[in-house]
Amino acid sequence: MPLDYPPPFTQLTRELRRLPGLGPRSAERCALWLLGHKDARPAQLAEAISRAASEIQPCQKCGFFATGPLCEICSHTDRQGRELCIVEQPTDILPLERSGAFGGLYHSLGGRLAPLDHIGPSQLRIASLIERIREEHPTELILALSADVEGEATTNYLVEILHPLGIPLTRIAHGLPAGGGLEHADQLTLQRALTGRRPAGS
Amino acid sequence: MPLDYPPPFTQLTRELRRLPGLGPRSAERCALWLLGHKDARPAQLAEAISRAASEIQPCQKCGFFATGPLCEICSHTDRQGRELCIVEQPTDILPLERSGAFGGLYHSLGGRLAPLDHIGPSQLRIASLIERIREEHPTELILALSADVEGEATTNYLVEILHPLGIPLTRIAHGLPAGGGLEHADQLTLQRALTGRRPAGS
């Protein structure tokens, strides 16, 4: 009867394998590294996981990661009463922040409309969005959802809902990505880049 | 000033990034998954890491992973007084076990000779190997080290040391790997496959 690793080892491999992108091989490699490598810090990793899982919660306003009731962005006084940028996921907020092109507040919907997966408007944070808009009076609502079918459908739905509120409503531009050559762009991207063309030389 | 994730999150990403094969992107993806996905079990993962790190130790005899002083292989009474297979790393033991072609005991050296990295005989578990051989009287010593330059050098060194003990001393065969076509085999593999040829049809 061939032997196996001791149970705590296989248990560790099993848990590591649940992480996205880790197959059985790489999970075993990580476990071996954690238990045997001189640079491994298993105690610190375990502690970091427990701490993050217990301390991080969604911001009650925008849905971003927070350690208190409000995230750092929503607690910022400079950002109040400015533009409100609506995104699908809390993870969409940081790329926008890192772009340095926006200094207002965010609102994560927690997903997008997907009737096949039974995700309708009431599964998304839309009621709280409207409540926020009524309370905070943002100067502009910016829709920054994905440029795919479900993202478009959700954007269209939000336009219908938000337009009556009488606040300037925009959506981020779709077109050729930075560094992207025309020869690599797909048909839809080029269509949108053409439709969204703007006066040059101004 | 663009914001970042809260400190417990960045701390978690930093620790995950230390794992082999995880770059900054995949570490962030794992952290987001751990904190946000409905299937994530951060508490279980943290517990599995802590438990494995505290409970698993090298077997005092062979160096394989154990939860007590001796590993499961060395505690097996059927395996005593048989062949002793010498490998570089404790992780080399399980592949040999899984091959089902061996039912004796193992001894992991904990590495191989590498003068450039200041790893000489005294950095390896060679003294304890000789002690074991004198105590346990194995029927055969099988050298199963890597088929590369350092593995060969270590094998040659061990042959010199172990030959005087008067116990049958063998080394595993080198040649064409299973499923490997001749057209994909490198020159050295083919040289070894030819040198190690055996009578056919017996």
Side-chain angles (χ1 to χ4, degrees), chain B:
Chain B
M1 174 201 62
L3 272 289
D4 205 343
Y5 290 116
F9 186 98
T10 31
Q11 182 60 28
L12 171 57
T13 318
R14 201 157 35 228
E15 290 296 333
L16 284 170
R17 215 155 106 182
R18 299 170 57 86
L19 292 173
L22 262 75
R25 282 268 180 192
S26 39
E28 193 173 293
R29 193 155 62 103
C30 283
L32 289 171
W33 184 88
L34 273 171
L35 299 179
H37 199 278
K38 64 176 172 42
D39 293 337
R41 310 196 298 196
Q44 280 89 327
L45 175 57
E47 165 66 18
I49 295 167
S50 306
R51 209 183 132 211
S54 70
E55 294 185 7
I56 290 182
Q57 46 179 297
C59 168
Q60 287 172 10
K61 267 196 174 167
C62 74
F64 188 58
F65 301 93
T67 47
L70 291 189
C71 74
E72 237 190 300
I73 302 176
C74 288
S75 327
H76 236 264
T77 47
D78 308 0
R79 290 173 177 254
Q80 311 300 327
R82 294 185 51 176
E83 305 88 352
L84 182 64
C85 180
I86 298 156
V87 296
E88 288 174 13
Q89 299 292 352
T91 48
D92 297 332
I93 292 176
L94 218 51
L96 288 166
E97 270 298 293
R98 286 175 181 159
S99 79
F102 184 72
L105 293 169
Y106 298 90
H107 189 89
S108 148
L109 299 170
R112 65 250 196 106
L113 297 176
L116 293 178
D117 298 332
H118 307 286
I119 299 179
S122 55
Q123 271 73 50
L124 302 179
R125 301 176 63 247
I126 291 179
S128 65
L129 168 64
I130 292 173
E131 201 181 315
R132 266 189 86 177
I133 295 172
R134 292 218 167 103
E135 273 174 23
E136 298 178 12
H137 306 291
T139 54
E140 181 181 344
L141 301 174
I142 304 174
L143 296 167
L145 284 78
S146 305
D148 55 13
V149 176
E150 291 181 342
E152 287 294 306
T154 313
T155 297
N156 292 338
Y157 175 81
L158 289 173
V159 168
E160 247 177 80
I161 299 276
L162 300 177
H163 196 257
L165 300 178
I167 294 170
L169 185 60
T170 59
R171 48 185 305 184
I172 55 167
H174 294 166
L176 212 56
L182 275 174
E183 75 275 29
H184 301 304
D186 61 293
Q187 211 178 341
L188 192 59
T189 298
L190 287 179
Q191 273 175 22
R192 287 178 178 167
L194 281 168
T195 315
R197 69 188 181 278
R198 299 193 307 176
S202 59

Side-chain angles (χ1 to χ4, degrees), chain A residues 7-9 11-13 15-16 34-35 42-43 45-51 53, chain B residues 34 41-56:
Chain A
F9 186 99
Q11 182 59 28
L12 172 56
T13 318
E15 290 297 331
L16 284 170
L34 273 171
L35 299 179
L45 175 57
E47 165 66 19
I49 295 168
S50 306
R51 211 184 130 210
Chain B
L34 273 171
R41 310 196 298 196
Q44 280 89 327
L45 175 57
E47 165 66 18
I49 295 167
S50 306
R51 209 183 132 211
S54 70
E55 294 185 7
I56 290 182

